[in-house]
Amino acid sequence: MRVVTEYPAASTVDDFHANLAVIRARIDDAARAAGRDPAEVRLLPVSKTVESDRLRNAVAAGCDWFGENKVQEVKRKHGELADTGVKWSVIGHLQTNKAKDVAALADEFQALDSLRVAAALDRRLQTLGRGIDVLVQVNTSSEESKFGLHPDDLAGFLTELAPFSSLRVRGLMTLAALSADAERVRGCFALLRDLRDRARDTDPDLIGPGELSMGMSGDFETAIEQGSTCVRVGQAIFGARATPDSHYWPN
Ligand SMILES: *Cc1c(COP(=O)(O)O)cnc(C)c1O
């Protein structure tokens, strides 16, 4: 269920230590409750809207990856935090004309949902002589405001991705419905797991390890119950965001 909580702001290294420990413990508990190994679930801290001076403290508290939704923002922070060696996961919708920035600075791209973007990314990556991990984003909520492939288009898309050798497909990503209805949220996560299982049955080579990136501050425990291997958590680590979600998922 989406727990409605106050997300207290965190800025010092101690704040981040404390918040990370709480979230990690909740992840571990959720995994054990589902009969899973907690080590299977990665915590990706989502740092959008958080300025680099605070992110430095989060790095000092142990963060070695940040997830960012917008290319302009990750570009700036990548420069500001270059000395820390922190890695960047781009988790937001990408326009073809920004593919070169993602190819240059991201270690992972979690929102792949078009062949045009795949082709543009692959071309840039081939030029740079590097590859990145990618997750295919699926729209499991049927909400028009969400990006991602229609579930019916996934199998064909995975087949068409195979020739892009710089894109290492690791699995799938989704955002659940923004709903207080726990069953509806659970259904979105269950659908992604189902799609992953079916893709594996069809051709395991096309989906790599079959990771499932699902779950955010308000719903990560449900996502772990449904098989998540990567939770993307922003506000519960960094504090409440002033920017409304509609900025990231336009209606
Ligand atoms: C912002 C964002 C998150 C994290 O949301 P929180 O509510 O801050 O935990 C997860 N995934 C994506 C794609 C995001 O843009």
Side-chain angles (χ1 to χ4, degrees):
M1 198 194 319
R2 264 168 209 279
V3 189
V4 181
T5 37
E6 294 286 305
Y7 297 122
S11 25
T12 67
V13 179
D14 283 349
D15 294 341
F16 286 116
H17 266 304
N19 285 4
L20 288 164
V22 167
I23 298 304
R24 190 65 239 183
R26 284 174 55 190
I27 291 170
D28 294 357
D29 286 349
R32 283 192 212 97
R36 302 181 54 208
D37 177 358
E40 287 173 11
V41 187
R42 164 188 177 203
L43 169 58
L44 176 63
V46 175
S47 54
K48 67 196 192 202
T49 75
V50 182
E51 289 309 318
S52 291
D53 52 345
R54 281 170 67 206
L55 295 184
R56 259 178 207 284
N57 289 342
V59 172
C63 292
D64 48 6
W65 279 88
F66 289 128
E68 283 283 343
N69 190 297
K70 303 262 185 197
V71 175
Q72 276 314 110
E73 190 170 343
V74 71
K75 218 173 143 178
R76 176 169 55 79
K77 292 177 183 174
H78 175 266
E80 290 168 355
L81 295 173
D83 59 300
T84 67
V86 75
K87 293 183 176 160
W88 299 92
S89 177
V90 173
I91 60 175
H93 180 74
L94 185 61
Q95 249 133 36
T96 327
N97 62 359
K98 302 268 172 64
K100 73 169 187 311
D101 295 319
V102 172
L105 60 80
D107 289 285
E108 179 181 73
F109 176 50
Q110 292 207 355
L112 186 60
D113 64 0
S114 90
L115 278 182
R116 283 185 53 205
V117 167
L121 263 180
D122 186 61
R123 190 163 52 82
R124 294 291 182 171
L125 286 162
Q126 299 286 358
T127 309
L128 296 168
R130 64 189 295 260
I132 57 171
D133 291 343
V134 297
L135 301 182
V136 175
Q137 184 174 355
V138 181
N139 183 343
T140 54
S141 67
S142 332
E143 286 174 1
E144 277 176 30
S145 60
K146 300 286 198 304
F147 296 108
L149 293 179
H150 188 283
D152 292 347
D153 297 333
L154 176 64
F157 186 73
L158 289 172
T159 306
E160 290 176 300
L161 274 189
F164 299 118
S165 60
S166 68
L167 305 180
R168 298 184 297 258
V169 180
R170 312 280 303 168
L172 308 177
M173 183 273 247
T174 202
L175 285 112
L178 280 173
S179 165
D181 177 352
E183 282 316 306
R184 183 150 150 61
V185 170
R186 182 172 285 113
C188 295
F189 296 143
L191 173 58
L192 197 71
R193 187 195 56 218
D194 227 60
L195 290 165
R196 189 269 319 266
D197 292 348
R198 270 187 267 158
R200 264 185 183 155
D201 287 348
T202 313
D203 185 347
D205 290 344
L206 297 182
I207 192 147
E211 276 163 36
L212 295 175
S213 174
M214 53 190 200
M216 321 193 330
S217 291
D219 59 17
F220 69 85
E221 279 136 332
T222 306
I224 291 167
E225 173 205 285
Q226 294 301 316
S228 174
T229 64
C230 174
V231 294
R232 309 178 306 271
V233 178
Q235 299 180 86
I237 295 173
F238 295 100
R241 253 189 323 274
T243 322
D245 282 344
S246 57
H247 180 65
Y248 300 97
W249 309 298
N251 286 304

